[in-house]
Amino acid sequence: MNKKVLIGIVLLATIAAGFFIYRATRPSPPGSVELTVGDLTVSVSYSRPSVRGRLIFGPEEQKALQPFGTYWRLGANKATQITLSSNVTFNGQPVKAGTYRMYAIPGADSFEIMLNTELGKSGAEMPDHQFDILQTKVPVATASTSVEKFTISMAEAQQGIDAVFEWSTIRFVIPIRPQ
């Protein structure tokens, strides 16, 4: 009987260790960022894929990981979510406080960013566009250095927050301001 208990404990410990090693070495680990400026708090949860020598953004014929003109979940794994604590202007357009699925359609000169009320879906699933509440375009710039892991950061700016998105050689900023 003691032998069976010991085998069970060793088996459970092995499974637990394997799970923690897998989580620590995932190619696209979870990420999150949050910033409060005045009464406005913006938080984003997303996954952080790596470049790993691949062409990230570009034409489909160049076998880009994320071809121009196609849906991108703004990360990997789960759908990216943004939470706004109060009503804001998001790249100049009004958005009510709440939590939204955020995704993009990359282009060579700009990214189209969408906010969608359909939550709880896998990022791999195309969003149902009838739940889009916002579509806006933001210009892209070439980053001064290549960024290996997709990164979303926030910075205080002009009475609000700038959400900064960087991956590979692409960088774009979305201004978020209280209404």
Side-chain angles (χ1 to χ4, degrees), residues 75-142:
N77 305 327
K78 292 175 158 182
T80 295
Q81 289 189 352
I82 185 168
T83 301
L84 309 166
S85 67
S86 56
N87 296 345
V88 299
T89 59
F90 187 95
N91 198 36
Q93 295 186 35
V95 176
K96 294 187 183 300
T99 299
Y100 302 97
R101 176 180 184 172
M102 184 169 51
Y103 65 97
I105 298 177
D109 300 317
S110 65
F111 276 36
E112 189 171 359
I113 307 296
M114 276 66 85
L115 297 182
N116 184 294
T117 59
E118 187 178 40
L119 301 175
K121 299 287 185 178
S122 162
E125 290 180 59
M126 288 287 293
D128 185 338
H129 299 295
Q130 74 176 345
F131 296 107
D132 287 351
I133 60 134
L134 173 129
Q135 293 181 337
T136 188
K137 282 193 178 189
V138 293
V140 296
T142 301

Side-chain angles (χ1 to χ4, degrees), residues 57 66 70-75 103-106 111 150 167 172:
F57 301 107
Q66 184 55 60
T70 62
Y71 162 76
W72 178 42
R73 64 186 111 180
L74 279 173
Y103 65 97
I105 298 177
F111 276 36
F150 176 55
W167 195 24
F172 62 91

Side-chain angles (χ1 to χ4, degrees), residues 26-50:
R26 283 192 294 194
S28 301
S32 63
V33 61
E34 180 175 287
L35 181 62
T36 299
V37 174
D39 293 334
L40 172 62
T41 299
V42 176
S43 60
V44 177
S45 62
Y46 66 109
S47 292
R48 303 187 63 211
S50 297

